[in-house]
Amino acid sequence: MKRGLIGVFLALIATSAIADAHLPRPVAQKAGQMGITVTGPLEVVFDWSEDRCERYNIPDLPARAFRDDAGQVNLLISHTTTYRMTGADFDALAVDCRPVMTSRYDSDPANFAQNEWLAAVYAVDGGQVFGLVHNEHQGNTLVSAACPSADYFKCWYNTITAAQSVDGGAEFAPVQPTHRVAGIEKPYVPDAGVFGAFSPSNIIARDGYYYAFFKLQTYPLGFQHVCLMRTDDLGDPTAWRFWDRLGFDGVFVDPYRSDDARALSASVCPAVAIDQIAEMYEGVSWNTALQKYVLIGTSSDPANDPNIFGFYAAFSDDLVTWTRRMPVIEARLPWRTDDPNVPVYLYPTLIDHDSPSRNFETTGATAYLYFTRLNNGQAGLDRDLVRFPVAFLAAD
């Protein structure tokens, strides 16, 4: 009997040790260097098992927040149907089960309106909230001619489009007559692989312009890099211009509505600081304590030994030139395991609950690092939105 109890006890210890091994771990910051350090325990913001409105109500992109005209906090839980959490502050948020945006599931890739995630928002006075949308054309969900392999990843064509709310963020609709913001110069090609423009960061204002990062995957070789775009008119999807290494003069050309080969070729945005930030794009803020822009994203760095996989940060004076990324959180990423029984982590972003910006585009001496915990691997729906409190460290 005693032997059995000891065995159970040891098994519980072993199970706990295995579970602890899968937890995200703060990375010690180097003394004297600018960085971000975790200052408290992990907190759950949205628990899918208890808080969901329906099965597919999952945090499937970085969390975005804004204050509406009444001062209420709105926190997006974005998927093909996007919901929001609302409350007087971040510690009083509750899920609103009225969708703020629902996908149109248009099967024509030329309409850029199939599976739509509300990915970024920017609120202004008068109840207007502008949005950027991550639009996935998923050919595998259509007739076989649209995707002979029936493989999701082989028939994924992505664009960024524009949406707008006129009622304070309660409901978003596509901007008309055209809503395409960014993409690549090629139309959809069945079984060509994943390609297009993906997952815009939050929007940040600077000197009369609005900026956002996003990831680009080019056709046909599948090269990935991060682009930067800006606009002076959030209401006009065609006004966005990408950084082309000389300035913000790059024009996104729609391959379905233009046959100008030269213009199409010139419409592919180049990489921003690829050696420094690799493919980090998820969240950007102006940090008032450091007087620097802070970029947070998912990455690794083979130049380091050991090479840590997880969430990284980089710093900048101008959004174009960045310090080399440094690890903040070591976390198990979906492509690092195929075990559905261990949690993996994605979608980091920084939100300062006390930011004076109604769009939380600034951070101060402290903030929260929000991210998604995928409890049953990448294919599972049990996903929670969690956060760590963090502090920013200035260089000596």
Side-chain angles (χ1 to χ4, degrees):
M1 185 69 174
K2 288 182 179 178
R3 199 175 303 167
L5 288 173
I6 291 172
V8 170
F9 179 67
L10 292 175
L12 287 172
I13 291 175
T15 301
S16 175
I18 292 171
D20 288 346
H22 300 314
L23 292 174
R25 293 180 291 276
V27 176
Q29 302 298 286
K30 294 181 179 178
Q33 290 192 4
M34 194 176 299
I36 303 175
T37 186
V38 173
T39 59
L42 190 71
E43 303 172 8
V44 177
V45 179
F46 171 87
D47 186 330
W48 181 84
S49 63
E50 298 178 1
D51 299 328
R52 70 183 186 272
C53 297
E54 42 93 359
R55 188 182 180 203
Y56 291 95
N57 178 196
I58 59 175
D60 198 42
L61 280 181
R64 307 296 183 212
F66 66 94
R67 292 188 184 95
D68 58 29
D69 283 354
Q72 290 284 103
V73 173
N74 292 251
L75 183 70
L76 298 183
I77 306 294
S78 188
H79 192 232
T80 51
T81 296
T82 297
Y83 296 90
R84 62 178 175 168
M85 302 180 74
T86 61
D89 56 51
F90 283 91
D91 293 321
L93 294 176
V95 180
D96 183 342
C97 285
R98 296 169 295 180
V100 300
M101 183 169 164
T102 302
S103 295
R104 287 169 285 170
Y105 303 111
D106 188 324
S107 62
D108 187 345
N111 292 335
F112 315 112
Q114 193 187 24
N115 296 274
E116 298 166 292
W117 284 246
L118 185 57
V121 285
Y122 200 93
V124 298
D125 292 340
Q128 290 194 91
V129 188
F130 296 96
L132 292 174
V133 176
H134 166 99
N135 170 65
E136 292 187 13
H137 178 76
Q138 298 176 1
N140 66 301
T141 64
L142 307 173
V143 297
S144 59
C147 182
S149 69
D151 186 304
Y152 167 49
F153 289 102
K154 289 183 179 180
C155 299
W156 178 353
Y157 177 65
N158 222 91
T159 49
I160 296 171
T161 63
Q164 185 176 355
S165 171
V166 295
D167 58 7
E171 186 174 5
F172 285 79
V175 175
Q176 298 295 348
T178 178
H179 61 283
R180 183 183 188 269
V181 169
I184 62 170
E185 84 286 11
K186 300 290 186 182
Y188 171 69
V189 179
D191 281 341
V194 182
F195 58 100
F198 302 79
S199 306
S201 71
N202 59 299
I203 300 168
I204 184 170
R206 175 193 181 204
D207 298 333
Y209 290 92
Y210 303 92
Y211 295 79
F213 290 90
F214 64 94
K215 187 173 74 171
L216 196 78
Q217 187 153 331
T218 57
Y219 172 85
L221 299 178
F223 294 131
Q224 298 182 36
H225 61 262
V226 172
C227 295
L228 176 63
M229 62 180 180
R230 79 177 187 186
T231 185
D232 60 0
D233 185 356
L234 288 170
D236 181 1
T238 66
W240 287 90
R241 296 290 183 266
F242 62 80
W243 179 74
D244 62 4
R245 295 196 177 100
L246 298 176
F248 287 88
D249 299 314
V251 179
F252 298 103
V253 180
D254 183 345
Y256 287 97
R257 291 162 182 84
S258 174
D259 57 3
D260 186 332
R262 185 172 181 178
L264 286 166
S265 177
S267 71
V268 180
C269 54
V272 175
I274 192 166
D275 289 339
Q276 290 74 31
I277 68 172
E279 296 165 24
M280 294 166 50
Y281 63 90
E282 286 92 326
V284 61
S285 63
W286 171 256
N287 188 268
T288 57
L290 302 177
Q291 292 292 293
K292 299 282 185 182
Y293 291 100
V294 180
L295 182 67
I296 196 84
T298 305
S299 195
S300 64
D301 191 349
N304 291 338
D305 186 17
N307 181 8
I308 295 173
F309 289 78
F311 304 148
Y312 279 64
F315 304 92
S316 173
D317 293 318
D318 60 7
L319 293 173
V320 172
T321 303
W322 291 89
T323 62
R324 190 169 189 90
R325 63 197 180 277
M326 58 183 62
V328 177
I329 298 289
E330 183 176 4
R332 187 181 296 271
L333 306 178
W335 47 91
R336 298 283 294 166
T337 180
D338 56 5
D339 184 350
N341 298 308
V342 299
V344 292
Y345 302 88
L346 279 176
Y347 310 131
T349 196
L350 291 164
I351 301 176
D352 181 350
H353 296 179
D354 297 319
S355 173
S357 164
R358 65 183 297 181
N359 294 288
F360 300 96
E361 58 201 304
T362 64
T363 47
T366 61
Y368 282 86
L369 175 59
Y370 281 74
F371 54 99
T372 297
R373 178 176 63 201
L374 297 80
N375 294 306
N376 303 123
Q378 190 168 17
L381 291 178
D382 187 353
R383 304 182 183 192
D384 302 329
L385 181 63
V386 298
R387 69 191 184 198
F388 273 128
V390 298
F392 295 87
L393 306 175
D396 291 346

